[in-house]
Amino acid sequence: MALINENFLKLKAGYLFPEIGRRVTAFQQENTEKAARLIRCGIGDVTEALPAACIKAMHEGVDELADRASFKGYGPEQGYAFLREAISANQYDGLNISADEIFISDGSKCDTGNILDIFGKGNRIAITDPVYPVYVDTNVMAGNTGDANESGAYAGLVYLTCDASNSFVAAPPAEKVDIVYLCFPNNPTGAVATRDQLTAWVNYALANDTLILFDSAYEAFVQDSNVPRSIYEIPGAHQCAIEFRSFSKHGGFTGVRCAYTVIPKALMGSTVSGEKVSLHQLWSRRHSTKFNGASYPVQKAAAALFTPEGKEQVAALIHHYMGNASLLRDACKAAGLPVFGGENAPYVWVGCPAGKTSWEMFDLMLHEAQVVITPGSGFGAAGEGWFRISAFNSRANVEEVCRRIGQLFQA
Ligand code: MLT
């Protein structure tokens, strides 16, 4: 019989969002009348149509595939040069990231998980808490942790607690770690790191030979021009950081699938015997072996986000979602709840009313207001007592959610 990867047996229950889906489906089956009022502000999934520039480019891409003369089969594994060049010029202008340091993929969730392929065993790995669950679960699957304790914390991981006292931005730890995951703007808390805070992280990484895995999937939502969008805005980051970015939220591509990972050529890892090895080369080797490139029409659509029309349409989408975030923030504040995030990120992070756990709050919102939120404890023990509201929705739905929050907390 085939032996399994027993690390999977250490995973706690199901992945957070399918678990929420199961609870919502059960509610719908048991409450058919109330179910019709359901508004989903749980998973951060976009709701608005793709920018028109992308639709046009995708159609053109499909038309090219319809003609033998312009047909394309396998593309370059690392992505078409036209897209990598557009990313380098538009997203990393002045930051010294060349097109061949950018690897196109079909999603940042996959990239942040798959990156572990190029690292060995025995790394000391730090994550913030609360955190995007993919970072933790993929380390569990890879055998980089021991078992979880009762509150869900895995032996072997270094947890950096984020709470109201540090405005949900962790400072570098006193101890040395080999790898740290940072995500700004943050999922789930919506927190952003200032230039000084990121500089402290880069200085820590350079002093301790730490690799920063920097997830900036939500950079397009940064409104404050002083908040860095990329780790490469910080001097020294090219020597210590990998950056993950996605078109999922930037262009509304959650269903289209396209993302990219930046690995500067200067970035090195080490063998056990101390020999320095290029992480760019390792990832290139891994990518070429296990991935055959994102689809051509999708890459055409992604490149269209950087045309003048595309940029205007993206700005309108971001403006729409950030308007929602602002309404949600106001409604939660008016209800007397502590509120973080939602100013440079599409997530509003809200404190539960006194005495309620995150899952109790989830149930209350579902049963009494028919609004799906995400329980903060699903993102880690430090998320207990908090919940996340996603701003990805229509304006009408968000206004209705605000009205129901008002009603719920007036009563
Ligand atoms: C979330 O809701 O946290 C995200 O949509 C999940 C993801 O990007 O995979």
Side-chain angles (χ1 to χ4, degrees):
M1 191 171 285
L3 294 175
I4 61 153
N5 175 352
E6 293 189 27
N7 295 313
F8 278 63
L9 305 180
K10 297 180 200 160
L11 291 167
K12 299 292 281 180
Y15 184 61
L16 175 62
F17 294 106
E19 176 60 27
I20 290 173
R22 267 192 294 281
R23 290 183 186 222
V24 172
T25 305
F27 169 81
Q28 286 174 306
Q29 285 163 353
E30 288 157 21
N31 304 273
T32 38
E33 263 179 41
K34 283 184 174 178
R37 300 178 79 228
L38 202 69
I39 302 180
R40 292 173 193 271
C41 296
I43 191 165
D45 194 1
V46 294
T47 54
E48 306 309 297
L50 285 181
C54 297
I55 300 288
K56 181 167 172 282
M58 208 184 292
H59 278 297
E60 285 166 7
V62 171
D63 286 342
E64 284 179 62
L65 301 183
D67 183 344
R68 195 170 196 289
S70 50
F71 176 78
K72 286 172 181 57
Y74 292 126
E77 291 91 354
Q78 285 81 6
Y80 282 97
F82 65 79
L83 178 55
R84 302 166 89 193
E85 280 158 14
I87 293 169
S88 165
N90 289 279
Q91 299 291 78
Y92 294 104
D93 186 24
L95 297 184
N96 194 23
I97 294 293
S98 61
D100 61 357
E101 292 174 310
I102 297 166
F103 296 83
I104 309 299
S105 76
D106 58 359
S108 276
K109 185 183 191 176
C110 326
D111 284 351
T112 53
N114 290 334
I115 197 75
L116 292 177
D117 275 6
I118 65 170
F119 300 113
K121 296 282 168 253
N123 283 312
R124 190 130 180 86
I125 297 168
I127 55 146
T128 56
D129 180 13
V131 75
Y132 180 42
V134 171
Y135 313 151
V136 176
D137 286 5
T138 53
N139 272 290
V140 175
M141 291 171 182
N144 292 339
T145 73
D147 289 325
N149 66 18
E150 271 176 14
S151 61
Y154 287 92
L157 288 182
V158 176
Y159 287 86
L160 308 173
T161 301
C162 299
D163 55 25
S165 73
N166 57 14
S167 297
F168 293 94
V169 179
E175 67 185 287
K176 171 179 158 47
V177 299
D178 302 300
I179 296 176
V180 60
Y181 290 81
L182 297 179
C183 172
F184 292 112
N186 188 261
N187 178 13
T189 66
V192 285
T194 62
R195 196 167 299 279
D196 284 350
Q197 286 169 320
L198 281 188
T199 301
W201 270 109
V202 168
N203 290 344
Y204 165 88
L206 294 173
N208 290 283
D209 275 337
T210 305
L211 175 69
I212 298 175
L213 298 179
F214 192 78
D215 185 347
S216 68
Y218 296 91
E219 59 77 30
F221 296 85
V222 172
Q223 307 290 300
D224 180 342
S225 56
N226 293 320
V227 169
R229 289 168 174 246
S230 167
I231 191 78
Y232 303 120
E233 292 179 38
I234 311 298
H238 295 68
Q239 279 77 45
C240 66
I242 289 177
E243 181 159 293
F244 303 96
R245 283 205 183 178
S246 171
F247 294 111
S248 283
K249 314 292 155 73
H250 170 176
F253 274 40
T254 55
V256 176
R257 313 305 307 148
C258 197
Y260 52 99
T261 290
V262 181
I263 309 194
K265 292 192 184 143
L267 198 56
M268 295 288 158
S270 173
T271 62
V272 174
S273 60
E275 185 196 343
K276 300 270 179 288
V277 178
S278 155
L279 294 182
H280 181 278
Q281 273 176 20
L282 289 189
W283 183 247
S284 180
R285 183 70 174 82
R286 188 262 171 219
H287 212 57
S288 325
T289 304
K290 293 196 178 181
F291 188 62
N292 257 338
S295 99
Y296 176 68
V298 164
Q299 292 192 59
K300 287 269 292 185
L305 292 167
F306 300 115
T307 59
E309 319 79 75
K311 285 182 188 174
E312 239 173 63
Q313 292 157 8
V314 167
L317 266 182
I318 303 289
H319 183 73
H320 165 76
Y321 291 129
M322 290 310 292
N324 288 350
S326 171
L327 292 174
L328 289 166
R329 271 179 62 86
D330 291 349
C332 292
K333 275 192 189 165
L337 302 173
V339 176
F340 283 83
E343 290 174 312
N344 290 288
Y347 296 127
V348 182
W349 184 247
V350 189
C352 299
K356 285 230 175 303
T357 67
S358 301
W359 277 108
E360 284 168 356
M361 191 61 196
F362 173 86
D363 286 336
L364 181 78
M365 292 284 279
L366 181 60
H367 289 267
E368 302 304 322
Q370 289 77 59
V371 174
V372 182
I373 47 113
T374 307
S377 56
F379 298 102
E384 183 55 273
W386 294 83
F387 65 99
R388 189 191 80 175
I389 313 185
S390 159
F392 292 112
N393 224 311
S394 66
R395 182 55 51 86
N397 274 353
V398 165
E399 284 170 351
E400 179 59 16
V401 168
C402 293
R403 200 184 61 76
R404 292 185 198 174
I405 289 174
Q407 265 182 347
L408 192 61
F409 289 96
Q410 240 168 33

mmCIF file of all heavy atoms in Angstrom, residues 41-73:
data_model
loop_
_atom_site.group_PDB
_atom_site.id
_atom_site.type_symbol
_atom_site.label_atom_id
_atom_site.label_comp_id
_atom_site.label_asym_id
_atom_site.label_seq_id
_atom_site.Cartn_x
_atom_site.Cartn_y
_atom_site.Cartn_z
ATOM 1 N N CYS A 41 -19.217 38.313 3.157
ATOM 2 C CA CYS A 41 -18.045 39.185 3.349
ATOM 3 C C CYS A 41 -16.960 38.363 4.021
ATOM 4 O O CYS A 41 -16.209 38.859 4.867
ATOM 5 C CB CYS A 41 -18.402 40.391 4.207
ATOM 6 S SG CYS A 41 -19.604 41.463 3.445
ATOM 7 N N GLY A 42 -16.913 37.068 3.698
ATOM 8 C CA GLY A 42 -15.956 36.162 4.313
ATOM 9 C C GLY A 42 -14.685 36.120 3.485
ATOM 10 O O GLY A 42 -13.809 36.994 3.624
ATOM 11 N N ILE A 43 -14.578 35.141 2.610
ATOM 12 C CA ILE A 43 -13.360 35.022 1.791
ATOM 13 C C ILE A 43 -13.169 36.299 0.973
ATOM 14 O O ILE A 43 -14.141 36.909 0.517
ATOM 15 C CB ILE A 43 -13.415 33.763 0.897
ATOM 16 C CG1 ILE A 43 -12.048 33.518 0.262
ATOM 17 C CG2 ILE A 43 -14.504 33.879 -0.157
ATOM 18 C CD1 ILE A 43 -11.888 32.126 -0.335
ATOM 19 N N GLY A 44 -11.939 36.699 0.815
ATOM 20 C CA GLY A 44 -11.638 37.902 0.048
ATOM 21 C C GLY A 44 -11.677 37.608 -1.438
ATOM 22 O O GLY A 44 -10.638 37.537 -2.085
ATOM 23 N N ASP A 45 -12.887 37.431 -1.942
ATOM 24 C CA ASP A 45 -13.019 37.139 -3.374
ATOM 25 C C ASP A 45 -13.678 38.325 -4.064
ATOM 26 O O ASP A 45 -14.729 38.810 -3.620
ATOM 27 C CB ASP A 45 -13.873 35.876 -3.579
ATOM 28 C CG ASP A 45 -13.757 35.346 -4.994
ATOM 29 O OD1 ASP A 45 -12.997 35.948 -5.796
ATOM 30 O OD2 ASP A 45 -14.422 34.357 -5.309
ATOM 31 N N VAL A 46 -13.069 38.778 -5.164
ATOM 32 C CA VAL A 46 -13.578 39.957 -5.863
ATOM 33 C C VAL A 46 -14.969 39.687 -6.434
ATOM 34 O O VAL A 46 -15.332 38.537 -6.701
ATOM 35 C CB VAL A 46 -12.612 40.383 -6.987
ATOM 36 C CG1 VAL A 46 -11.297 40.866 -6.400
ATOM 37 C CG2 VAL A 46 -12.372 39.244 -7.977
ATOM 38 N N THR A 47 -15.736 40.763 -6.609
ATOM 39 C CA THR A 47 -17.116 40.603 -7.085
ATOM 40 C C THR A 47 -17.387 41.347 -8.389
ATOM 41 O O THR A 47 -18.374 41.072 -9.060
ATOM 42 C CB THR A 47 -18.101 41.163 -6.038
ATOM 43 O OG1 THR A 47 -17.724 42.510 -5.731
ATOM 44 C CG2 THR A 47 -18.090 40.322 -4.758
ATOM 45 N N GLU A 48 -16.529 42.312 -8.719
ATOM 46 C CA GLU A 48 -16.836 43.163 -9.881
ATOM 47 C C GLU A 48 -16.207 42.592 -11.156
ATOM 48 O O GLU A 48 -15.254 41.822 -11.095
ATOM 49 C CB GLU A 48 -16.349 44.594 -9.626
ATOM 50 C CG GLU A 48 -16.888 45.186 -8.328
ATOM 51 C CD GLU A 48 -18.405 45.065 -8.181
ATOM 52 O OE1 GLU A 48 -19.130 45.659 -8.998
ATOM 53 O OE2 GLU A 48 -18.880 44.360 -7.265
ATOM 54 N N ALA A 49 -16.781 42.982 -12.297
ATOM 55 C CA ALA A 49 -16.317 42.441 -13.588
ATOM 56 C C ALA A 49 -14.856 42.826 -13.840
ATOM 57 O O ALA A 49 -14.360 43.825 -13.316
ATOM 58 C CB ALA A 49 -17.195 42.988 -14.707
ATOM 59 N N LEU A 50 -14.193 42.026 -14.659
ATOM 60 C CA LEU A 50 -12.799 42.321 -15.030
ATOM 61 C C LEU A 50 -12.723 43.668 -15.740
ATOM 62 O O LEU A 50 -13.666 44.050 -16.441
ATOM 63 C CB LEU A 50 -12.296 41.270 -16.020
ATOM 64 C CG LEU A 50 -11.953 39.880 -15.502
ATOM 65 C CD1 LEU A 50 -11.456 39.030 -16.668
ATOM 66 C CD2 LEU A 50 -10.901 39.936 -14.410
ATOM 67 N N PRO A 51 -11.608 44.384 -15.605
ATOM 68 C CA PRO A 51 -11.441 45.636 -16.351
ATOM 69 C C PRO A 51 -11.615 45.384 -17.860
ATOM 70 O O PRO A 51 -11.173 44.354 -18.380
ATOM 71 C CB PRO A 51 -10.002 46.045 -16.033
ATOM 72 C CG PRO A 51 -9.688 45.368 -14.729
ATOM 73 C CD PRO A 51 -10.465 44.083 -14.741
ATOM 74 N N ALA A 52 -12.267 46.333 -18.522
ATOM 75 C CA ALA A 52 -12.577 46.154 -19.953
ATOM 76 C C ALA A 52 -11.298 45.908 -20.766
ATOM 77 O O ALA A 52 -11.303 45.133 -21.734
ATOM 78 C CB ALA A 52 -13.319 47.381 -20.460
ATOM 79 N N ALA A 53 -10.204 46.560 -20.381
ATOM 80 C CA ALA A 53 -8.942 46.393 -21.129
ATOM 81 C C ALA A 53 -8.496 44.930 -21.092
ATOM 82 O O ALA A 53 -7.929 44.408 -22.079
ATOM 83 C CB ALA A 53 -7.864 47.295 -20.530
ATOM 84 N N CYS A 54 -8.743 44.250 -19.989
ATOM 85 C CA CYS A 54 -8.348 42.840 -19.863
ATOM 86 C C CYS A 54 -9.225 41.958 -20.741
ATOM 87 O O CYS A 54 -8.744 41.029 -21.386
ATOM 88 C CB CYS A 54 -8.503 42.345 -18.425
ATOM 89 S SG CYS A 54 -7.457 43.186 -17.286
ATOM 90 N N ILE A 55 -10.515 42.258 -20.729
ATOM 91 C CA ILE A 55 -11.457 41.457 -21.525
ATOM 92 C C ILE A 55 -11.044 41.534 -22.997
ATOM 93 O O ILE A 55 -10.964 40.520 -23.694
ATOM 94 C CB ILE A 55 -12.899 42.002 -21.365
ATOM 95 C CG1 ILE A 55 -13.330 41.947 -19.912
ATOM 96 C CG2 ILE A 55 -13.877 41.277 -22.269
ATOM 97 C CD1 ILE A 55 -13.606 40.580 -19.382
ATOM 98 N N LYS A 56 -10.745 42.759 -23.438
ATOM 99 C CA LYS A 56 -10.380 42.965 -24.845
ATOM 100 C C LYS A 56 -9.106 42.172 -25.164
ATOM 101 O O LYS A 56 -9.033 41.447 -26.150
ATOM 102 C CB LYS A 56 -10.165 44.470 -25.072
ATOM 103 C CG LYS A 56 -9.797 44.869 -26.475
ATOM 104 C CD LYS A 56 -9.926 46.394 -26.629
ATOM 105 C CE LYS A 56 -9.389 46.871 -27.960
ATOM 106 N NZ LYS A 56 -7.923 46.942 -28.000
ATOM 107 N N ALA A 57 -8.111 42.296 -24.283
ATOM 108 C CA ALA A 57 -6.830 41.613 -24.527
ATOM 109 C C ALA A 57 -7.010 40.098 -24.499
ATOM 110 O O ALA A 57 -6.392 39.371 -25.297
ATOM 111 C CB ALA A 57 -5.809 42.054 -23.476
ATOM 112 N N MET A 58 -7.867 39.634 -23.600
ATOM 113 C CA MET A 58 -8.076 38.185 -23.514
ATOM 114 C C MET A 58 -8.744 37.678 -24.789
ATOM 115 O O MET A 58 -8.370 36.633 -25.332
ATOM 116 C CB MET A 58 -8.922 37.856 -22.283
ATOM 117 C CG MET A 58 -8.641 36.473 -21.734
ATOM 118 S SD MET A 58 -9.684 36.030 -20.365
ATOM 119 C CE MET A 58 -9.156 37.093 -19.093
ATOM 120 N N HIS A 59 -9.728 38.438 -25.287
ATOM 121 C CA HIS A 59 -10.382 38.063 -26.551
ATOM 122 C C HIS A 59 -9.359 38.008 -27.680
ATOM 123 O O HIS A 59 -9.348 37.079 -28.485
ATOM 124 C CB HIS A 59 -11.480 39.073 -26.914
ATOM 125 C CG HIS A 59 -12.777 38.821 -26.213
ATOM 126 N ND1 HIS A 59 -13.515 37.677 -26.400
ATOM 127 C CD2 HIS A 59 -13.481 39.564 -25.329
ATOM 128 C CE1 HIS A 59 -14.605 37.730 -25.649
ATOM 129 N NE2 HIS A 59 -14.605 38.857 -24.984
ATOM 130 N N GLU A 60 -8.493 39.015 -27.725
ATOM 131 C CA GLU A 60 -7.467 39.041 -28.788
ATOM 132 C C GLU A 60 -6.563 37.816 -28.675
ATOM 133 O O GLU A 60 -6.191 37.201 -29.675
ATOM 134 C CB GLU A 60 -6.619 40.327 -28.681
ATOM 135 C CG GLU A 60 -7.355 41.553 -29.169
ATOM 136 C CD GLU A 60 -6.668 42.869 -28.754
ATOM 137 O OE1 GLU A 60 -5.529 42.811 -28.197
ATOM 138 O OE2 GLU A 60 -7.276 43.922 -28.977
ATOM 139 N N GLY A 61 -6.220 37.472 -27.424
ATOM 140 C CA GLY A 61 -5.368 36.296 -27.197
ATOM 141 C C GLY A 61 -6.040 35.029 -27.706
ATOM 142 O O GLY A 61 -5.403 34.190 -28.354
ATOM 143 N N VAL A 62 -7.324 34.903 -27.430
ATOM 144 C CA VAL A 62 -8.063 33.715 -27.881
ATOM 145 C C VAL A 62 -8.110 33.701 -29.415
ATOM 146 O O VAL A 62 -7.901 32.651 -30.049
ATOM 147 C CB VAL A 62 -9.486 33.694 -27.273
ATOM 148 C CG1 VAL A 62 -10.329 32.588 -27.894
ATOM 149 C CG2 VAL A 62 -9.406 33.519 -25.758
ATOM 150 N N ASP A 63 -8.340 34.866 -30.008
ATOM 151 C CA ASP A 63 -8.387 34.934 -31.478
ATOM 152 C C ASP A 63 -7.047 34.506 -32.093
ATOM 153 O O ASP A 63 -7.011 33.833 -33.123
ATOM 154 C CB ASP A 63 -8.747 36.353 -31.947
ATOM 155 C CG ASP A 63 -10.219 36.653 -31.707
ATOM 156 O OD1 ASP A 63 -10.993 35.685 -31.509
ATOM 157 O OD2 ASP A 63 -10.584 37.843 -31.693
ATOM 158 N N GLU A 64 -5.960 34.887 -31.446
ATOM 159 C CA GLU A 64 -4.642 34.463 -31.957
ATOM 160 C C GLU A 64 -4.528 32.939 -31.923
ATOM 161 O O GLU A 64 -3.963 32.333 -32.833
ATOM 162 C CB GLU A 64 -3.519 35.070 -31.114
ATOM 163 C CG GLU A 64 -3.272 36.536 -31.392
ATOM 164 C CD GLU A 64 -2.161 37.083 -30.507
ATOM 165 O OE1 GLU A 64 -1.020 36.602 -30.606
ATOM 166 O OE2 GLU A 64 -2.455 37.991 -29.694
ATOM 167 N N LEU A 65 -5.076 32.347 -30.886
ATOM 168 C CA LEU A 65 -4.999 30.877 -30.772
ATOM 169 C C LEU A 65 -5.902 30.191 -31.791
ATOM 170 O O LEU A 65 -5.738 29.004 -32.083
ATOM 171 C CB LEU A 65 -5.377 30.421 -29.356
ATOM 172 C CG LEU A 65 -4.520 30.968 -28.208
ATOM 173 C CD1 LEU A 65 -4.960 30.371 -26.882
ATOM 174 C CD2 LEU A 65 -3.039 30.682 -28.420
ATOM 175 N N ALA A 66 -6.851 30.965 -32.340
ATOM 176 C CA ALA A 66 -7.793 30.386 -33.303
ATOM 177 C C ALA A 66 -7.212 30.323 -34.713
ATOM 178 O O ALA A 66 -7.826 29.765 -35.622
ATOM 179 C CB ALA A 66 -9.080 31.212 -33.309
ATOM 180 N N ASP A 67 -6.054 30.911 -34.883
ATOM 181 C CA ASP A 67 -5.461 30.983 -36.221
ATOM 182 C C ASP A 67 -4.095 30.277 -36.200
ATOM 183 O O ASP A 67 -3.243 30.594 -35.366
ATOM 184 C CB ASP A 67 -5.294 32.479 -36.574
ATOM 185 C CG ASP A 67 -4.762 32.680 -37.974
ATOM 186 O OD1 ASP A 67 -4.233 31.707 -38.575
ATOM 187 O OD2 ASP A 67 -4.852 33.824 -38.463
ATOM 188 N N ARG A 68 -3.892 29.359 -37.137
ATOM 189 C CA ARG A 68 -2.653 28.573 -37.142
ATOM 190 C C ARG A 68 -1.399 29.477 -37.178
ATOM 191 O O ARG A 68 -0.378 29.177 -36.558
ATOM 192 C CB ARG A 68 -2.663 27.617 -38.336
ATOM 193 C CG ARG A 68 -1.635 26.535 -38.226
ATOM 194 C CD ARG A 68 -1.787 25.451 -39.279
ATOM 195 N NE ARG A 68 -1.019 24.282 -38.898
ATOM 196 C CZ ARG A 68 0.303 24.238 -38.921
ATOM 197 N NH1 ARG A 68 0.991 25.277 -39.330
ATOM 198 N NH2 ARG A 68 0.937 23.146 -38.521
ATOM 199 N N ALA A 69 -1.520 30.592 -37.916
ATOM 200 C CA ALA A 69 -0.351 31.465 -38.100
ATOM 201 C C ALA A 69 0.068 32.133 -36.783
ATOM 202 O O ALA A 69 1.255 32.427 -36.576
ATOM 203 C CB ALA A 69 -0.671 32.529 -39.149
ATOM 204 N N SER A 70 -0.883 32.395 -35.901
ATOM 205 C CA SER A 70 -0.527 33.074 -34.639
ATOM 206 C C SER A 70 -0.696 32.162 -33.422
ATOM 207 O O SER A 70 -0.527 32.610 -32.275
ATOM 208 C CB SER A 70 -1.382 34.338 -34.460
ATOM 209 O OG SER A 70 -2.746 34.033 -34.659
ATOM 210 N N PHE A 71 -1.016 30.905 -33.685
ATOM 211 C CA PHE A 71 -1.237 29.943 -32.600
ATOM 212 C C PHE A 71 0.004 29.822 -31.706
ATOM 213 O O PHE A 71 1.127 29.916 -32.185
ATOM 214 C CB PHE A 71 -1.593 28.574 -33.198
ATOM 215 C CG PHE A 71 -1.729 27.508 -32.153
ATOM 216 C CD1 PHE A 71 -2.881 27.421 -31.390
ATOM 217 C CD2 PHE A 71 -0.692 26.612 -31.911
ATOM 218 C CE1 PHE A 71 -3.005 26.454 -30.406
ATOM 219 C CE2 PHE A 71 -0.801 25.633 -30.929
ATOM 220 C CZ PHE A 71 -1.969 25.564 -30.167
ATOM 221 N N LYS A 72 -0.241 29.564 -30.437
ATOM 222 C CA LYS A 72 0.875 29.335 -29.497
ATOM 223 C C LYS A 72 0.581 28.111 -28.661
ATOM 224 O O LYS A 72 -0.528 27.953 -28.161
ATOM 225 C CB LYS A 72 1.028 30.524 -28.554
ATOM 226 C CG LYS A 72 1.632 31.714 -29.246
ATOM 227 C CD LYS A 72 1.608 32.944 -28.381
ATOM 228 C CE LYS A 72 2.211 34.090 -29.143
ATOM 229 N NZ LYS A 72 1.524 34.354 -30.427
ATOM 230 N N GLY A 73 1.568 27.272 -28.515
ATOM 231 C CA GLY A 73 1.446 26.116 -27.626
ATOM 232 C C GLY A 73 2.081 26.457 -26.287
ATOM 233 O O GLY A 73 1.768 27.479 -25.692
#
